[in-house]
């Protein structure tokens, strides 16, 4: 938390997510110049370091000459609602991918070709730059097929149980990561995150 002195003026920007600051300032300046409703969705950092989505609104107060003399605003935590909306959207896209995946499987495609086609569908439907499928092998390792702008590659990973793949397998449900910078449930792949500038991800368990 911040004291009143720390938060006054633009001091409160220190707890606003860096990616939201420019938009926040621009929206506020526009509202002040036009006198219209100020409304924005942005992320604030709690005392424990977790960012949560908020809905900010402010209305101008006019005097008798219709000059703005003050602004009255509110700030509402909508993080649970945002996460529910994101999960619903992800599940909708997931169903579309799984349906497409099933069609290719019925055609008797080779497993590797099937995975590569599935990665293409995931990238296109979810509009993401990088996607991957982790196949659990008989020896306990996983074979990770990854698709980026450069094409498809794969690697064998031995120590994967503390990764997002391992967490998803243990949980047996969809796992959504909104911000890798504050992710504490499992070990994040720092090399891939930094190389591709990845902010978040979604992992889904495919049984077969």
């Amino acid at each position: 938390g911040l004291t009143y002195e720390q938060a006054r003026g633009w001091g409160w920007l220190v707890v606003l997510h860096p990616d939201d600051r420019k938009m926040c300032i621009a929206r506020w300046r526009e509202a002040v110049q036009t006198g219209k409703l100020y409304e924005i969705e942005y992320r604030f950092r709690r005392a424990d370091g977790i960012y949560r989505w908020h809905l900010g609104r402010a209305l101008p107060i006019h005097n008798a000459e219709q000059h703005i003399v003050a602004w009255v605003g509110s700030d509402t935590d909508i993080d649970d609602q945002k996460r529910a909306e994101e999960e619903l959207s992800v599940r909708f896209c997931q169903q579309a991918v799984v349906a497409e995946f099933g069609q290719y499987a019925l055609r008797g495609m080779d497993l590797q070709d099937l995975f590569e086609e599935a990665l293409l569908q995931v990238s296109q439907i979810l509009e993401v730059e990088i996607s991957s499928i982790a196949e659990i092998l008989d020896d306990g390792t996983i074979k990770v097929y990854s698709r980026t702008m450069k094409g498809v590659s794969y690697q064998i990973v031995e120590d994967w149980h503390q990764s997002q793949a391992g967490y998803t397998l243990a949980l047996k449900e969809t796992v959504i990561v909104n911000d890798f910078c504050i992710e504490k449930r499992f070990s994040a792949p720092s090399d891939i995150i930094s190389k591709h500038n990845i902010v978040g991800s979604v992992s889904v368990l495919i049984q077969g």
Side-chain angles (χ1 to χ4, degrees):
L2 299 176
T3 65
Y4 173 75
E5 291 300 323
Q6 291 173 325
R8 66 181 301 181
W10 290 104
W12 54 272
L13 283 178
V14 297
V15 295
L16 185 65
H17 195 288
D19 293 344
D20 299 336
R21 292 174 187 173
K22 185 176 180 179
M23 175 183 63
C24 174
I25 294 173
R27 291 272 185 91
W28 175 246
R29 286 176 175 169
E30 180 184 4
V32 171
Q33 291 173 359
T34 63
K36 295 181 179 179
L37 168 69
Y38 172 75
E39 184 171 288
I40 187 173
E41 292 183 1
Y42 42 18
R43 291 161 289 182
F44 282 103
R45 188 182 69 239
R46 295 190 313 200
D48 59 4
I50 301 297
Y51 282 97
R52 290 184 64 85
W53 282 98
H54 288 73
L55 172 63
R57 285 175 173 163
L59 286 170
I61 303 299
H62 299 83
N63 59 17
E65 289 75 34
Q66 293 303 304
H67 296 146
I68 298 177
V69 294
W71 288 79
V72 176
S74 64
D75 197 75
T76 307
D77 188 321
I78 59 169
D79 196 77
D80 292 340
Q81 176 185 333
K82 289 283 289 187
R83 291 180 186 277
E85 291 173 352
E86 289 175 359
E87 185 170 350
L88 183 62
S89 176
V90 166
R91 290 190 182 279
F92 177 78
C93 292
Q94 174 190 339
Q95 290 174 357
V97 171
V98 170
E100 194 72 22
F101 190 83
Q103 290 298 316
Y104 285 111
L106 290 173
R107 297 173 190 170
M109 292 180 66
D110 175 77
L111 188 59
Q112 182 166 330
D113 292 338
L114 180 62
F115 283 166
E116 292 184 7
E117 187 60 42
L119 289 173
L120 175 61
Q121 294 299 321
V122 168
S123 298
Q124 292 179 342
I125 294 176
L126 297 182
E127 298 181 349
V128 294
E129 295 182 3
I130 181 171
S131 57
S132 62
I133 291 179
E135 177 190 5
I136 303 177
L137 304 179
D138 293 336
D139 61 1
T141 62
I142 61 173
K143 185 176 183 179
V144 180
Y145 299 81
S146 298
R147 179 182 179 83
T148 64
M149 301 295 289
K150 296 181 179 180
V152 178
S153 61
Y154 74 87
Q155 63 175 327
I156 302 298
V157 180
E158 296 181 0
D159 185 17
W160 57 276
H161 293 85
Q162 301 302 317
S163 67
Q164 185 172 350
Y167 183 80
T168 304
L169 181 62
L171 199 62
K172 291 184 171 55
E173 62 180 46
T174 299
V175 174
I176 300 176
V177 179
N178 292 294
D179 190 342
F180 272 118
C181 293
I182 57 174
E183 180 56 57
K184 301 183 183 302
R185 294 172 295 178
F186 47 81
S187 300
S190 56
D191 54 335
I192 298 178
I193 291 174
S194 59
K195 182 178 180 180
H196 297 283
N197 196 28
I198 299 174
V199 175
S201 71
V202 177
S203 55
V204 179
L205 183 64
I206 302 175
Q207 297 181 339

